[in-house]
Amino acid sequence: MPETTRGQGSRIAAGSDVEAVGQWLTEYRASLQTQRAYRREAERLLLWLAEQGLGLAGVRRDHLVAFEAFLADPRPRERWIGPPRPRHAEEWRPFRGPLAPASRRQSLVILQGMFAWLAEAGWVAHNPFRLMRDKRRRLDNRQGGIERYLERPLWAWFWAWLNRELNRPAEEGASPRQRFEHRRRRLVFGFAYLLAPRIGEMSAAYMGDFQRREGRWWWRVTGKGNKTAVIPVPPDMAALLTEWRVGLGLAPEPLPDDATPLLRALDGRRGLGDNRLYRLIRDAFREAADTLEAEQGEGGRPWAMRLRAATPHWLRHTALTHQAQAGVELRYLAATARHSRLDTTARYLHAEDEAWHHQQSLHRLGADADRDEPV
């Protein structure tokens, strides 16, 4: 990878762009999930720059435009795009597919912050993002309402499908492994829908994180920014937890000091990592999409396409959107989401959209029976 020549103004002990970026990433060591996300975006940029024969110090504004276009369509596909694989595997690729507009914005927001830090550290002479006249519009990540979620009818169908799949093994004499996998899948999606966790929070959850106080269940979670919160657990989640534990041969309720994983591998003891959990959720969405299309034909194709596009983070969006639609107050919704800003949570409120759509439906072609005759 091309290296840039450092002048006397560098304020960090780094000998290469990779080392400089590594020092920036250490600033996020308190939040491993954030650090992983930032590392991914920085790595994509460094790999792309290497293909152009560039280092960080040589990045100009026009390079940023070209890089954003690349994020939308990484080519050649065989070089950049592939299924999830361990980072050290030969088949590993930086992308799962082209990035959607929101993901491209997020990538540029992260990289803008990285360049600001590197400029302050004296590693690069300037931050090229500051030359973008439309920077605020392009990089403002506070966009409109959330759209990447499953609508209520689609979620209802999906949850019914999960339960149908759970009951089918018993009818067909399935193996213990198959029954275990179906119970785990139901817990995963129920957990995601009822408590709106991030995927890293799900994989890191322990049994003892669920505790009963004065007859009510609570979930203790340490999430983004290493912040800890205690979230009310609805009855349906408490029931799922009990069913899961009994299926594992455990007592119905966990003890407060139970530090064993909530979500487990096939041996029933080891925890699930982020990558395995991600694949489990995506596989379920794809299976459901195939079933939906097989059952409903062309009529089910739009919903099937939504399911195939869905990622684990859609479950968090789905949970918060449906809570908002059910009338959960904004302050409680923000507490469940663990957002620091109410305007972030407000993106899940679709009441204005529904009211607007209703009002617009009053505007009709032709004369209505109740209208006065034209004069």
Side-chain angles (χ1 to χ4, degrees):
M1 181 178 293
E3 300 298 344
T4 51
T5 303
R6 298 274 67 80
Q8 297 299 315
S10 179
R11 302 179 185 89
I12 55 176
S16 68
D17 283 347
V18 171
E19 291 179 8
V21 169
Q23 292 205 25
W24 167 68
L25 288 170
T26 62
E27 299 295 323
Y28 300 93
R29 58 187 175 274
S31 176
L32 294 180
Q33 194 76 6
T34 299
Q35 190 181 63
R36 280 195 291 267
Y38 285 17
R39 179 184 291 113
R40 180 185 63 223
E41 302 307 331
E43 184 173 43
R44 287 169 172 171
L45 176 65
L46 289 173
L47 290 171
W48 181 82
L49 288 174
E51 296 264 318
Q52 318 305 312
L54 293 169
L56 291 172
V59 175
R60 304 190 305 262
R61 185 197 184 287
D62 57 304
H63 294 140
L64 297 179
V65 175
F67 180 67
E68 184 177 9
F70 165 76
L71 294 177
D73 187 17
R75 289 178 181 272
R77 293 181 66 87
E78 62 274 11
R79 162 74 176 85
W80 295 99
I81 297 175
R85 292 289 185 273
R87 179 61 182 84
H88 60 271
E90 186 177 342
E91 301 84 8
W92 177 86
R93 297 293 183 270
F95 294 88
R96 305 286 79 79
L99 297 191
S103 297
R104 298 199 298 271
R105 279 194 300 272
Q106 181 68 11
S107 178
L108 295 180
V109 167
I110 291 169
L111 295 174
Q112 177 186 220
M114 182 187 78
F115 266 100
W117 189 91
L118 292 172
E120 185 66 24
W123 185 257
V124 296
H126 74 105
N127 182 352
F129 284 91
R130 293 181 63 85
L131 299 178
M132 299 175 75
R133 182 182 174 195
D134 56 350
K135 174 167 63 81
R136 178 169 298 180
R137 176 182 62 81
R138 290 163 56 83
L139 302 186
D140 186 351
N141 208 39
R142 291 171 290 165
Q143 302 299 314
I146 293 293
E147 296 179 357
R148 291 174 296 167
Y149 69 97
L150 304 183
E151 294 86 344
R152 279 188 172 276
L154 179 52
W155 168 258
W157 181 92
F158 180 80
W159 183 248
W161 173 79
L162 279 178
N163 285 282
R164 190 172 65 193
E165 290 295 300
L166 176 68
N167 294 327
R168 182 175 296 163
E171 300 167 0
E172 299 176 354
S175 66
R177 170 175 174 164
Q178 289 173 312
R179 291 195 293 271
F180 175 88
E181 289 178 329
H182 281 87
R183 288 197 306 270
R184 182 177 64 183
R185 180 184 274 182
R186 185 169 180 266
L187 174 69
V188 165
F189 281 93
F191 182 11
Y193 182 74
L194 293 168
L195 292 176
R198 299 175 177 91
I199 192 168
E201 296 164 353
M202 294 178 69
S203 64
Y206 292 119
M207 290 287 189
D209 292 337
F210 292 86
Q211 299 179 13
R212 187 200 290 267
R213 296 202 313 264
E214 298 181 359
R216 298 186 180 92
W217 281 96
W218 301 83
W219 175 45
R220 182 180 178 87
V221 55
T222 301
K224 193 173 182 180
N226 209 29
K227 296 177 182 177
T228 299
V230 180
I231 310 297
V233 174
D236 285 353
M237 182 60 200
L240 284 174
L241 176 62
T242 298
E243 292 170 10
W244 174 241
R245 286 181 57 83
V246 170
L248 292 172
L250 303 173
E253 296 185 7
L255 296 174
D257 61 350
D258 189 340
T260 60
L262 173 69
L263 302 178
R264 304 188 177 192
L266 292 174
D267 62 9
R269 294 185 297 274
R270 291 178 297 113
L272 282 184
D274 290 4
N275 289 338
R276 179 70 189 96
L277 182 56
Y278 184 96
R279 292 196 299 272
L280 186 155
I281 293 171
R282 288 301 301 269
D283 288 347
F285 278 141
R286 293 189 187 104
E287 287 179 35
D290 292 343
T291 302
L292 182 61
E293 217 162 23
E295 290 179 351
Q296 301 186 16
E298 281 299 311
R301 193 154 182 260
W303 273 6
M305 291 175 65
R306 290 285 285 174
L307 287 173
R308 290 193 182 100
T311 68
H313 205 64
W314 280 42
L315 289 169
R316 177 170 163 85
H317 293 330
T318 300
L320 295 172
T321 298
H322 290 187
Q323 287 185 48
Q325 291 172 340
V328 175
E329 292 182 28
L330 182 59
R331 56 177 173 155
Y332 295 129
L333 193 65
T336 296
R338 285 156 286 129
H339 289 152
S340 57
R341 298 171 58 100
L342 284 179
D343 58 352
T344 301
T345 312
R347 297 170 65 200
Y348 294 91
L349 303 179
H350 296 268
E352 288 296 324
D353 290 348
E354 294 173 9
W356 185 12
H357 202 281
H358 172 71
Q359 293 290 320
Q360 192 77 352
S361 70
L362 301 178
H363 183 49
R364 308 284 296 276
L365 286 170
D368 289 343
D370 293 334
R371 274 190 197 153
D372 293 333
E373 292 295 323
V375 292

